[in-house]
Amino acid sequence: MKKINKLFFIIPAVVILAAAGWFAYRFSQTSSTEGAVMSDKNILIAYYSYSGNTESIAKKIQAKTGGDLFEIKTVTPYPKDYNTVVEQAQKEKQADFYPELQEKVADIAKYDVVFLGTPVWWYTMAPPVKTFIKENSLDGKTVIPFCTHGGGGASATFSDMAKLAPNAKVLEGIEIYERGNASTDNELNKWIEKTLK
Ligand SMILES: Cc1cc2nc3c(=O)[nH]c(=O)nc-3n(C[C@H](O)[C@H](O)[C@H](O)COP(=O)(O)O)c2cc1C
């Protein structure tokens, strides 16, 4: 009788421990992939960045989506002096200038989704991004724009991108002040999840 009483307590205890172990295992599996977005689409994150802000956002999008990163680079770099580049960029905008780029995306055809990032230059995208759109066909693709700015917001950046890529499906973009912060990181993650749904 004594033996039966012991088993009465031991068996449920073993079952509970096994269940707890299984839940702990499942939970650890889930949390290891937390933050990443699961997508069956081929994703490219293409960006131009003069002083690193847009690049830091592009890298966050890459980490979250697992897509390929492509930096848009001009053959002739922009001047390092801030006032000089501001002046040059204004002239380039007025002249609708397309700067020459170092390279095209190796196989743009394989991507379904292109996150396209730019700093706001004179209320629109930086000229290298215009060249990128012209040289890499975005026809039939989903384009998800993002930009960083110095306080003026996206201005005409996203609508100008949509005009240059009329055969792409351009989704709602995100604008981030300079390099962003913890709160914009949170906003960025939610925006990525929403746009990739
Ligand atoms: C040539 C030039 C023009 C700019 N024009 C604007 C503008 O129209 N509106 C704005 O809010 N910020 C403007 N900025 C600030 C940049 O958009 C901002 O600093 C951005 O985060 C820089 O990104 P990057 O570090 O990736 O180059 C301008 C900066 C430069 C260099």
Side-chain angles (χ1 to χ4, degrees):
M1 188 65 181
K2 258 189 176 175
K3 256 186 188 168
I4 291 167
N5 276 348
K6 255 189 194 169
L7 282 177
F8 188 76
F9 288 106
I10 288 168
I11 291 168
V14 168
V15 170
I16 287 165
L17 276 175
W22 183 78
F23 272 110
Y25 173 75
R26 275 237 34 201
F27 179 74
S28 72
Q29 290 296 97
T30 310
S31 58
S32 69
T33 54
E34 220 171 49
V37 173
M38 293 304 153
S39 174
D40 54 357
K41 295 169 187 133
N42 267 325
I43 299 173
L44 178 73
I45 303 110
Y47 69 95
Y48 173 74
S49 186
Y50 170 71
S51 50
N53 295 344
T54 313
E55 178 168 70
S56 79
I57 303 300
K59 286 185 172 165
K60 283 176 187 165
I61 298 173
Q62 196 283 326
K64 176 93 178 158
T65 62
D68 296 339
L69 204 57
F70 179 84
E71 183 180 3
I72 301 169
K73 287 186 269 188
T74 54
V75 170
T76 311
Y78 281 91
K80 288 212 160 62
D81 177 67
Y82 191 78
N83 291 334
T84 313
V85 77
V86 166
E87 237 174 71
Q88 181 176 326
Q90 187 178 29
K91 286 185 188 142
E92 289 188 1
K93 182 186 175 179
Q94 285 162 351
D96 193 23
F97 178 69
Y98 284 72
E100 197 184 334
L101 301 185
Q102 290 186 19
E103 56 179 348
K104 282 166 75 165
V105 175
D107 186 8
I108 189 78
K110 79 173 181 191
Y111 297 103
D112 315 299
V113 173
V114 178
F115 283 87
L116 185 55
T118 181
V120 178
W121 276 13
W122 288 103
Y123 316 108
T124 187
M125 77 198 92
V129 180
K130 290 198 310 184
T131 315
F132 174 88
I133 297 172
K134 195 174 153 193
E135 290 183 349
N136 298 274
S137 174
L138 300 176
D139 290 0
K141 299 188 192 304
T142 299
V143 172
I144 312 178
F146 63 101
C147 70
T148 69
H149 61 88
S155 307
T157 304
F158 303 149
S159 53
D160 285 349
M161 276 183 183
K163 277 185 210 156
L164 283 183
N167 299 318
K169 183 181 175 197
V170 182
L171 302 188
E172 190 191 340
I174 194 168
E175 54 179 56
I176 290 172
Y177 173 67
E178 300 285 356
R179 210 162 280 217
N181 52 39
S183 129
T184 53
D185 279 358
N186 194 27
E187 217 181 289
L188 182 71
N189 284 336
K190 283 191 185 145
W191 169 77
I192 294 168
E193 282 160 17
K194 193 177 90 183
T195 51
L196 284 182
K197 250 184 197 157

